[in-house]
Amino acid sequence: GTNGFYLNYSDSSSLGTDSSGQGNDFTPGNLVATDQVLDSPSNNFATLNLIAPALHGAGPVHAVITKAALKHTGVSSTYVHEILTQAVSSGKWYVEFCVNTLSTDSNMYVGVGNEAGVITDRSNPEANTKSVALQANGQAWKDGNTTTSHSSGAYGTVGHIVGISLNLDDNEVKFFVNNSAFTLTTSITGGGDLWTFWVLTYNTEAVTLNAGQDSSFAGAKTAQNNKDANGKGDFYYAPPAGHLALCTDNISDPAIDLPSDHFNTLLYTANDAAGRSITGVGFAPDLVWAKERASAHHVLVDSVRGTSSGGRISSNRANAEDATSGVAVGSFDSDGFTVGSSAAYLNSGTTNYVSWNWKAGGTASSNSDGSITSSVSANTTAGFSIVTYAGTGSAGATVGHGLSQTPDLIMIKNRTGITNWVVNSPIINSGFTKWAMKLDITEAMSTDSTIWNNTAPTSSVFTLGTAGESNRNNPDNYVAYCFHSVEGYSKVGTYTGNGNADGSFVYTGFRPMWVMAKCTDGTASWLMTDSVRQPYNVTDDPLFANENSAETNSSTYAIDILSSGFKCRGVNNDTNNSDGNVYIYLAFAESPFKYANAR
């Protein structure tokens, strides 16, 4: 139409030009050519992370972030730390920082660090292990220690440009000052972990990031238009050979494009009928974990234990498997499941239910990787297996889990006896010297060598002690649920609470659909939240794995679900207690970060 217009922003020198042919040009207001960057809805470049509060010193602190989240200006008499919005675990990457202002003692740092150092616990980033940083005065830091000062590497002058290349294929970091290789070229440890770039300033120091979207640094320089190895981006200096801009176009396609093919959350309203077909899962689930959203026990049924004898266990109870009071699930179907002979568990009255559903490997196979022969249904693509075995009472007995790599989290329940669930993870307990936690109660992590025999799992087996919770010869039967992280789909990790409504930001590498979290070093419940019961932020209606309580609607439990992770917005023992408490979490994706939108 005559009043139509098309702004394609192809020429930054003439912002507002109408390309429709109708001549309906816009007149820019308070915009100049250098206000336009390459970032677009179809290719997002990394920026400074506005929602990850710095923890350097006392309490959460944010820098002043301007220029499309590329310019960081510090806070008077305060250290302020900012990470980038994208993290990587492999490949070669390059970013640039331009110095805008400096303090007299040149306390600005730029660097790289792994998840444990700069995402999970960022209280002192330049001194963290698995971290490398360069100070403006030329002082270099690596893995928590200073190295010899390098005056040739100093960038303590306004206008200097610091380039950082991160090579996770060869575990190498290089710093460049005005395109001259700094003498610190160093190896790093922790390849395979998530790594990101970061900046730390003191006082009102200011620095501008270029992750490939603007080589003018918001007009501070004349753009140079250098591309990365894939022809992407706009850098002031040419990136080192093979190095890429941090942008979604350069992120590898995830192994799992559609997370809902392997995990899905389903809501439904009961009609009190036995034999009802519950559909909409999208696949045949091997584990159904369901809960009335009112007060009622959790119900877990899986395809390995089967449905003929009931097969119901509850995450909130130490009770043995219920095989006498009616069948909870009658069958696992191609698009969900059928309610069994009793409607009381999964289809009671007219109440609302939530069902969390995992795909394993279908019909179980015999596994003889361990000294105990197990029955295993494993989805190696999605890092999930269901394992059943009979206890022997022998310390050091091993059980094959069927996964292709070491589990990051294992849950075990004695099906025969009345014992607590046990949960452990090498992420928080590398040698399995502690039994870790119990899913049905609120205890903190504690020491007990009789559960795991002080032996960490391997890529083929997990090891048992003699405790009734894991390996009693009564004879007792057991079920184990094993998980390992899959990039873009699932994540087992930790974060540190800060006891503040501006809570911890947790990078998962995807937009979560489901998150369960537990404080490891304090008494707390196992909080469970998902994006389906509350499809907008904040989510503040959790259920608890260790309780039969109804949904709890409270701002103290508020969590933002984000395109790359989640952020605690409430203050409570169960997700975000006082500074220093460490939480473990298990999360599953709604969408990989490469394709995810914010909510």
Side-chain angles (χ1 to χ4, degrees):
T2 57
N3 293 320
F5 58 90
Y6 170 43
L7 307 184
N8 66 13
Y9 301 104
S10 59
D11 185 357
S12 61
S13 64
S14 55
L15 292 174
T17 298
D18 175 21
S19 300
S20 71
Q22 297 298 324
N24 296 318
D25 296 338
F26 280 49
T27 301
N30 297 318
L31 290 171
V32 296
T34 54
D35 290 324
Q36 181 176 344
V37 298
L38 288 181
D39 197 285
S40 71
S42 60
N43 184 24
N44 289 168
F45 288 80
T47 63
L48 297 167
N49 195 323
L50 293 163
I51 58 172
L55 301 176
H56 198 292
V61 179
H62 290 276
V64 177
I65 303 297
T66 55
K67 299 296 183 182
L70 297 177
K71 185 175 182 180
H72 162 118
T73 303
V75 179
S76 179
S77 302
T78 304
Y79 283 99
V80 183
H81 174 227
E82 299 289 338
I83 62 175
L84 270 59
T85 54
Q86 295 185 27
V88 288
S89 60
S90 61
K92 301 176 182 179
W93 308 93
Y94 177 75
V95 302
E96 298 172 331
F97 292 93
C98 181
V99 177
N100 300 118
T101 58
L102 281 165
S103 60
T104 55
D105 47 2
S106 297
N107 271 325
M108 181 184 293
Y109 301 77
V110 292
V112 298
N114 85 328
E115 178 182 22
V118 299
I119 297 176
T120 304
D121 181 6
R122 301 184 295 112
S123 58
N124 197 18
E126 76 279 11
N128 275 316
T129 58
K130 295 187 179 180
S131 181
V132 181
L134 180 61
Q135 192 173 352
N137 63 6
Q139 178 67 61
W141 297 71
K142 179 185 176 184
D143 293 341
N145 298 301
T146 59
T147 68
T148 304
S149 181
H150 300 279
S151 59
S152 62
Y155 57 92
T157 301
V158 171
H160 278 190
I161 295 173
V162 185
I164 309 176
S165 65
L166 172 62
N167 183 342
L168 292 173
D169 296 338
D170 296 330
N171 291 332
E172 183 183 77
V173 177
K174 286 185 179 181
F175 291 88
F176 303 85
V177 178
N178 295 336
N179 211 34
S180 296
F182 176 44
T183 52
L184 177 65
T185 299
T186 186
S187 62
I188 56 175
T189 55
D193 296 340
L194 282 170
W195 288 73
T196 191
F197 297 83
W198 55 265
V199 60
L200 172 69
T201 62
Y202 181 73
N203 222 334
T204 55
E205 293 178 321
V207 61
T208 300
L209 162 72
N210 175 27
Q213 63 269 73
D214 177 26
S215 67
S216 80
F217 296 94
K221 297 284 188 178
T222 301
Q224 298 299 305
N225 303 312
N226 288 291
K227 306 295 184 184
D228 71 8
N230 285 343
K232 306 288 183 181
D234 171 22
F235 288 100
Y236 194 85
Y237 294 111
H243 285 67
L244 304 178
L246 271 178
C247 63
T248 53
D249 272 0
N250 284 334
I251 296 176
S252 298
D253 292 336
I256 296 176
D257 287 336
L258 295 173
S260 58
D261 286 347
H262 300 269
F263 170 80
N264 209 355
T265 300
L266 181 68
L267 306 181
Y268 64 95
T269 301
N271 65 6
D272 210 33
R276 178 187 175 189
S277 180
I278 305 297
T279 61
V281 172
F283 54 85
D286 291 296
L287 170 61
V288 173
W289 182 340
K291 172 76 172 71
E292 258 186 76
R293 296 166 70 179
S295 179
H297 295 303
H298 291 254
V299 176
L300 286 84
V301 184
D302 64 70
S303 63
V304 180
R305 290 182 295 121
T307 62
S308 59
S309 61
R312 178 174 65 98
I313 52 178
S314 298
S315 62
N316 58 291
R317 297 193 296 176
N319 297 37
E321 183 178 84
D322 184 354
T324 61
S325 56
V327 176
V329 171
S331 63
F332 298 95
D333 308 326
S334 61
D335 189 30
F337 58 92
T338 297
V339 174
S341 59
S342 174
Y345 306 121
L346 295 177
N347 198 30
S348 176
T350 57
T351 57
N352 293 320
Y353 279 80
V354 58
S355 171
W356 302 299
N357 307 274
W358 285 264
K359 180 180 180 180
T363 302
S365 300
S366 178
N367 183 298
S368 57
D369 289 342
S371 61
I372 298 174
T373 299
S374 56
S375 293
V376 178
S377 175
N379 182 344
T380 55
T381 299
F384 170 58
S385 68
I386 303 168
V387 182
T388 60
Y389 63 94
T392 64
S394 300
T398 56
V399 178
H401 52 67
L403 298 177
S404 59
Q405 64 187 66
T406 303
D408 291 321
L409 187 140
I410 302 172
M411 304 178 183
I412 296 179
K413 178 68 182 80
N414 186 327
R415 302 164 57 191
T416 310
I418 301 175
T419 64
N420 298 112
W421 290 72
V422 286
V423 183
N424 213 335
S425 169
I427 291 175
I428 56 169
N429 186 17
S430 60
F432 269 43
T433 56
K434 299 178 184 291
W435 55 252
M437 297 152 293
K438 298 179 179 179
L439 185 65
D440 51 307
I441 56 179
T442 61
E443 286 185 10
M445 193 164 59
S446 181
T447 301
D448 187 343
S449 63
T450 65
I451 295 189
W452 308 99
N453 205 50
N454 286 354
T455 307
T458 71
S459 59
S460 60
V461 300
F462 56 87
T463 302
L464 305 173
T466 59
E469 289 91 343
S470 62
N471 188 28
R472 182 164 57 198
N473 183 20
N474 222 17
D476 284 3
N477 294 316
Y478 295 84
V479 62
Y481 301 120
C482 304
F483 304 87
H484 70 69
S485 300
V486 175
E487 190 168 358
Y489 166 75
S490 65
K491 179 70 175 173
V492 180
T494 63
Y495 66 92
T496 302
N498 67 359
N500 192 287
D502 185 6
S504 300
F505 163 73
V506 183
Y507 186 96
T508 61
F510 52 81
R511 185 175 68 196
M513 175 182 282
W514 184 88
V515 178
M516 181 169 71
K518 170 70 170 73
C519 181
T520 64
D521 49 2
T523 301
S525 290
W526 292 80
L527 179 140
M528 307 169 77
T529 192
D530 62 71
S531 64
V532 179
R533 286 181 298 126
Q534 194 162 0
Y536 51 85
N537 286 330
V538 294
T539 61
D540 56 4
D541 55 352
L543 291 161
F544 299 94
N546 57 289
E547 296 180 10
N548 65 354
S549 57
E551 285 178 342
T552 302
N553 186 268
S554 171
S555 61
T556 63
Y557 295 110
I559 291 175
D560 275 345
I561 291 179
L562 309 164
S563 63
S564 59
F566 62 94
K567 179 178 173 66
C568 299
R569 292 291 189 183
V571 179
N572 62 85
N573 286 341
D574 301 327
T575 54
N576 188 27
N577 205 337
S578 59
D579 195 7
N581 284 97
V582 176
Y583 292 79
I584 188 169
Y585 69 89
L586 171 63
F588 291 88
E590 182 175 340
S591 178
F593 176 61
K594 183 177 177 73
Y595 309 123
N597 295 320
R599 296 212 305 168

